[in-house]
Structure formats: structure tokens, C-alpha cells
Amino acid sequence: MFEAIIKCLEIWKSGGWVMIPLFLLALLIYTNGIALLLFLSKGNIHLGREDQWNYWVSHPDIASGRIGEIIRYTQDNVSAAKHIQNRFEEIRKSMLGNIERRLTFLNTLTTAAPLLGLLGTVIGMLGTFAAISSGGGSETAGKVAEGISEALITTQTGLFIALPGIFLILIIRRRKQAIESALSRIESISLSHLKLD
């Protein structure tokens, strides 16, 4: 176990100084992504089951939780279908606006990971070319190997950081779309139940 840790640290060290920003970037990506996923999963935006929505729209006082608040807000003192639609649009902006901003930030961070790895590649290749131009000998071969190692490790690390980040973004985006479709369905049920012009 201890030998494996030492081996990982040696590989990490051979990646050069670019590994530090890559580590910080990975930390930002996964803490923000997991926090957003937990926010969506823990019932902060729980809208109940679809089979209950018809009944709750008909009896808004019985509806509980976040969905109850939404139904009561969208039905309170409305005289036209446009009022309901405007209120649902307000709810979409307030509920999903923050999620969309956080998702955009997460997407930007994930996109930056391979680019930062590419920066390490360029730095490693510059070191390689500098070693080649300095002359021959065993010392030059060692410097060339170091440069190539740095180039490959940073690229690989950037990709290893970005790929799980992309899957995390896809999961979050799917949950966001489920919330959007649920709100649209509740809006449709409300409009058909209240029969407003």
C-alpha cells in the first residue's frame, strides 16, 4: 500500500507544475458536481408522483411539500390562463435558473481540464526539444524522457478528470430536464382543470 502511494506520487511529480492546477480543477469539478447532484436528489426540488398531481390540482389545500406550494401559488387569484402560464414561468426561472448557472460553471470547468492537460503537453514537449537541442549523451536522453513523460502524464490526467465530469454533467442535465417536464405537465393539468381563457 505504501509503495503504491509512493509510486503515484512519483508519477504525479513527473507531470510537473501543471499537475497542481489540474488537481485543484478536479477538486472544483467534483465538489461542485456532487453538491449539485445531492441538491437535486435530496428532495430540494421534489415534485411528488405524477399520479397525485391531478388530485392535488383539484384540491390544492391537500397538496403538500414543494408541489403544494407551486399549485397553490399558480392557482391563487388567477382569472386567465396567461396568469397561470406567467406564474409557472416564474417558478421555472427561480427553481431552474440557479441550477443552470451552476451547470454552466461545471461545464466550463470540465472543458478546461483537457486544455490544462494540453498546456502540460506543450510544456513537456518544449522541455524535450530543449534537451534534444542541447546535444547528445546519456544526460540528454534522460531529459528527453522526462519531457515526454511530463507531456503524456498531464494529457492523460486532464482527460481522466474531464471524462467523469462529463458523465456527471449528463446526469445532472437529465434530472434538470425531468424537473422541467414535470413542471410543464403540472402546468398543463392546471390549465385543463381550471378551464380559463
Side-chain angles (χ1 to χ4, degrees), residues 16-155:
W17 65 268
V18 176
M19 296 298 278
I20 295 169
L22 277 169
F23 172 75
L24 295 174
L25 188 63
L27 198 63
L28 270 173
I29 289 170
Y30 297 121
T31 55
N32 281 302
I34 291 170
L36 187 53
L37 197 59
L38 289 174
F39 176 78
L40 291 171
S41 299
K42 283 194 163 186
N44 294 309
I45 305 185
H46 184 65
L47 298 177
R49 293 189 328 263
E50 188 171 353
D51 59 342
Q52 298 172 322
W53 296 343
N54 280 323
Y55 186 73
W56 285 348
V57 167
S58 303
H59 306 90
D61 297 332
I62 297 172
S64 61
R66 190 78 179 259
I67 186 68
E69 294 171 12
I70 291 170
I71 290 171
R72 284 187 288 279
Y73 174 70
T74 55
Q75 290 186 11
D76 190 33
N77 296 324
V78 292
S79 57
K82 185 141 183 87
H83 295 147
I84 292 176
Q85 291 168 339
N86 289 341
R87 289 189 180 182
F88 269 101
E89 191 57 36
E90 278 179 45
I91 291 167
R92 278 187 198 91
K93 285 181 182 174
S94 68
M95 284 177 71
L96 302 174
N98 184 36
I99 294 169
E100 187 58 40
R101 281 189 298 279
R102 290 171 70 181
L103 198 54
T104 301
F105 178 64
L106 186 62
N107 199 23
T108 304
L109 291 176
T110 303
T111 303
L115 295 175
L116 199 53
L118 185 60
L119 174 65
T121 302
V122 171
I123 292 169
M125 292 311 291
L126 287 174
T128 301
F129 294 139
I132 291 171
S133 68
S134 69
S138 62
E139 191 175 304
T140 302
K143 287 183 180 181
V144 168
E146 280 180 32
I148 292 173
S149 174
E150 181 177 347
L152 295 176
I153 287 172
T154 54
T155 304

